[in-house]
């Protein structure tokens, strides 16, 4: 039944800075209400998924994930690096400039922060079989196991 998220909303400390950040990720600005301190950005206009940004004096940090195709997950670390965005560690594993694999869920993920410290993940479902016995590992190690 549920196939994705239509929208999510974040409190941000600087609306213009956050708009620039999310536009650098390829989101399309669809509406700004400067007097109210809000903006809406869409992810691929045809899909109509969006992020609402709400400027606030105090922000509470959140986490959310963007979904990409398995064939594109390898590109995410360099895509972010080209925009000056650093990867962060997750679950005790350093990013090592490649996606992290969660073998029990067959997900490949890359983690980073937005300017307000919100945790953002870019994830892809993998076509490989799950492996319940493995801890999270870098993508290159996963591929060596599944050649």
């Amino acid at each position: 039944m549920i196939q994705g998220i239509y929208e999510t909303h974040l409190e941000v400390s600087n609306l213009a800075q956050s708009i620039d950040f999310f536009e650098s990720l390829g989101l399309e600005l669809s509406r700004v209400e400067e007097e109210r301190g809000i903006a809406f950005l869409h992810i691929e206009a045809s899909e109509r998924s969006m992020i609402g940004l709400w400027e606030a004096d105090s922000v509470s940090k959140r986490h959310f994930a963007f979904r990409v195709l398995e064939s594109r997950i390898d590109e995410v670390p360099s895509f972010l690096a080209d925009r000056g965005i650093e990867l962060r560690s997750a679950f005790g594993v350093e990013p090592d400039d490649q996606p992290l694999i969660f073998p029990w869920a067959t997900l490949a993920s890359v983690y980073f922060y937005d300017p307000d410290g919100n945790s953002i993940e870019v994830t892809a479902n993998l076509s490989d079989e799950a492996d319940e016995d493995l801890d999270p590992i870098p993508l290159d190690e996963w591929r060596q196991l599944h050649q």
Side-chain angles (χ1 to χ4, degrees), residues 10-89:
L10 300 174
E11 295 170 334
V12 299
S13 59
N14 183 311
L15 188 62
Q17 178 185 31
S18 292
I19 290 170
D20 289 346
F21 177 82
F22 286 102
E23 283 184 322
S24 79
L25 296 177
L27 279 71
E28 300 171 11
L29 183 63
S30 61
R31 183 175 177 85
V32 177
E33 296 180 22
E34 291 181 15
E35 67 283 352
R36 292 180 55 203
I38 60 176
F40 299 96
L41 296 101
H42 282 94
I43 305 163
E44 296 186 20
S46 63
E47 195 173 305
R48 305 309 291 173
S49 297
M50 77 173 171
I51 292 179
L53 303 176
W54 300 75
E55 195 165 49
D57 294 331
S58 175
V59 299
S60 57
K61 293 179 175 66
R62 304 283 186 221
H63 171 84
F64 66 94
F66 293 114
R67 182 177 46 220
V68 297
L69 296 173
E70 178 179 6
S71 62
R72 304 292 305 269
I73 194 68
D74 287 282
E75 302 168 32
V76 174
S78 61
F79 173 85
L80 295 173
D82 290 348
R83 287 149 181 81
I85 300 170
E86 294 182 21
L87 304 184
R88 71 167 180 87
S89 63

Side-chain angles (χ1 to χ4, degrees), residues 93 98-103 107 134-143 145-146:
V93 179
Q98 62 177 307
L100 180 62
I101 305 303
F102 296 93
L107 290 175
L134 288 177
D135 289 329
I137 58 175
L139 180 58
D140 63 352
E141 290 181 37
W142 177 258
R143 286 190 172 143
L145 293 171
H146 291 87

